[in-house]
Amino acid sequence: MERPRILTGDRPTGRLHLGHYVGTLANRVRLQDTYQCFFIIADLHMLTTKYEYLAEVGRDVRELVLDYLAVGIDPNKSTTYLQSQVPEVTELATIFSMLVSVPRLQRVPTLKEVMRDLRIGTASLGLLSYPVLQAADILMVRASLVPVGKDQASHVEVTREIAQRFNALYGDVFPVPEALIGDVPTLPGTNGTAKMSKSLDNAIYLADDPGTVQRRVMGMYTDPTRIHSTDPGHLKGNPVFIYHDVFNPNKAEVAELKARYRAGKVGDVEVKRRLVEALTAFLAPIQERRRQFAEQPSLVEAILRQGSELARQEARRTLVDAKRAMGLDYFSASFARDD
Ligand code: ATP
Ligand code: MG
């Protein structure tokens, strides 16, 4: 029997960070044996917020694929492809755009967040319909599971509504997919903001060398109410301890640090120093794999070429089925034949 399918991915807007890892990459790696996985490099979605400096996109795509390989995504088990190499997806998105209202899309919370964070005054039509294009990506390969960070759950909800509406109008063509949120739904940024994000300059990247990790951790936001290391510290909303909980496998050490912190018996510097050690150890095998793959210059291109070809075959098949269900398959059915 065919394995159920996953679709998820990233916009090629820069290297991947710890937030991506806990939000979605860990799930991708874990599920690649049980699911047939499609990983999309969403370069059309990139255009919703970044259409200048496109000269860099080739490099960003390559870095992204190297990050995938580094965390353990196996190109022999999964399909990684470029969204813009599958033009059928835009046709499906056009069809889907008839099935969702403008106010519905205006209510999607990420729209307001992106506009606030990137200081966008008025949304373009493309930014507004971001979730519609995403629905087309997901349903094009008939994915039933979408491993994403919590910020993306509202987008998967739009996909579900579109699939349900399409199926109700034209018959059962699409699965109604579920979002799979990572162990840490949203990893906060090093500056204490709610979300680590490429565009907010508050990230620790999977490819950061030990010196950079150290610099970023030592500069991290902690408990602002604590002036001296003898003041009792707060753990809630303190990203240093959130990262310890997630990335430090030595649970006894974390428990001990927390107890001493609450009691005002340990300085921020020591807590951070131990975090640097934990993160460096976590990143070392990832970076070793990255180095090995980076030495094979034609690998990334081969993965993307083959992946995009396969995704496109899926897309063509799905589009034929969708249009047939809608009665849009003129030449095979709708026109009467002479013979
Ligand atoms: P950008 O700033 O360009 O939007 P980003 O860092 O927000 O970049 P995306 O490409 O938007 O990253 O997200 C890719 C995937 O990673 C999505 O599934 C998203 O939910 C997840 N993700 C991103 N940041 C985090 C985070 N801090 N915690 C958990 N998941 C995250
Ligand atoms: Mg984002």
Side-chain angles (χ1 to χ4, degrees):
M1 227 194 76
E2 250 197 17
R3 282 176 295 166
R5 294 180 171 189
I6 275 177
L7 180 121
T8 185
D10 304 272
R11 309 188 315 145
T13 48
R15 290 180 169 191
L16 297 181
H17 52 64
L18 296 175
H20 296 117
Y21 187 85
V22 294
T24 152
L25 295 172
N27 270 334
R28 296 185 202 176
V29 174
R30 184 168 64 83
L31 295 170
Q32 58 184 338
D33 290 307
T34 18
Y35 285 80
Q36 184 177 351
C37 292
F38 290 87
F39 301 125
I40 181 172
I41 298 191
D43 53 351
L44 298 176
H45 276 116
M46 175 194 68
L47 297 175
T48 59
T49 57
K50 186 176 178 181
Y51 32 83
E52 291 162 35
Y53 312 123
L54 285 178
E56 294 171 14
V57 71
R59 193 202 61 200
D60 284 343
V61 167
R62 183 181 146 79
E63 297 292 340
L64 193 52
V65 177
L66 286 175
D67 278 335
Y68 285 1
L69 297 168
V71 296
I73 286 176
D74 182 344
N76 297 312
K77 293 179 184 165
S78 58
T79 302
T80 297
Y81 73 99
L82 266 169
Q83 187 179 33
S84 61
Q85 294 294 305
V86 184
E88 286 77 7
V89 80
T90 60
E91 189 175 353
L92 193 63
T94 301
I95 292 170
F96 285 171
S97 70
M98 316 302 162
L99 307 181
V100 57
S101 75
V102 170
R104 173 68 184 93
L105 294 173
Q106 285 168 332
R107 279 198 306 274
V108 171
T110 40
L111 177 64
K112 276 192 215 80
E113 285 159 22
V114 167
M115 290 177 69
R116 181 199 60 205
D117 290 347
L118 302 183
R119 298 201 175 84
I120 297 170
T122 30
S124 69
L125 185 56
L127 182 60
L128 180 68
S129 64
Y130 188 119
V132 179
L133 182 57
Q134 190 170 349
D137 297 326
I138 294 168
L139 298 177
M140 195 107 239
V141 298
R142 300 174 200 252
S144 56
L145 195 67
V146 188
V148 285
K150 186 161 179 289
D151 58 314
Q152 291 274 328
S154 60
H155 290 183
V156 180
E157 190 50 41
V158 173
T159 299
R160 292 170 56 83
E161 288 168 23
I162 288 174
Q164 278 160 343
R165 182 131 170 79
F166 188 101
N167 291 348
L169 283 167
Y170 309 116
D172 256 345
V173 172
F174 295 111
V176 180
E178 307 270 352
L180 177 71
I181 309 299
D183 286 343
V184 183
T186 309
L187 190 74
T190 52
N191 57 357
T193 52
K195 191 185 155 215
M196 182 178 283
S197 174
K198 282 177 275 195
S199 20
L200 296 179
D201 193 23
N202 62 2
I204 295 175
Y205 292 89
L206 298 178
D208 278 347
D209 58 68
T212 308
V213 172
Q214 171 158 5
R215 199 158 19 84
R216 293 197 205 268
V217 170
M218 295 323 272
M220 268 179 81
Y221 173 96
T222 51
D223 174 359
T225 66
R226 200 167 181 246
I227 316 289
H228 309 286
S229 59
T230 48
D231 296 343
H234 298 88
L235 302 179
K236 199 168 176 295
N238 188 332
V240 175
F241 280 98
I242 295 173
Y243 292 7
H244 262 298
D245 276 332
V246 179
F247 297 104
N248 189 341
N250 186 344
K251 297 301 162 208
E253 178 185 61
V254 176
E256 183 233 291
L257 283 175
K258 283 181 178 173
R260 286 168 60 204
Y261 196 77
R262 277 205 204 87
K265 292 205 158 64
V266 63
D268 278 1
V269 171
E270 182 177 349
V271 181
K272 287 179 171 176
R273 206 171 40 73
R274 306 263 195 112
L275 180 60
V276 171
E277 281 166 21
L279 285 178
T280 312
F282 170 79
L283 292 174
I286 293 176
Q287 297 183 353
E288 178 50 35
R289 269 198 302 272
R290 196 179 210 282
R291 260 191 297 277
Q292 285 168 14
F293 287 117
E295 280 167 12
Q296 300 166 249
S298 54
L299 181 69
V300 169
E301 191 177 328
I303 288 171
L304 286 175
R305 274 187 194 283
Q306 286 165 20
S308 300
E309 192 45 52
L310 199 91
R312 193 158 189 208
Q313 284 167 21
E314 287 299 327
R316 289 208 183 97
R317 232 175 274 147
T318 305
L319 199 56
V320 166
D321 288 351
K323 289 167 85 172
R324 186 181 298 135
M326 297 172 76
L328 273 176
D329 56 338
Y330 304 107
F331 299 110
S332 57
S334 303
F335 292 121
R337 292 174 185 229
D338 292 339
D339 51 9

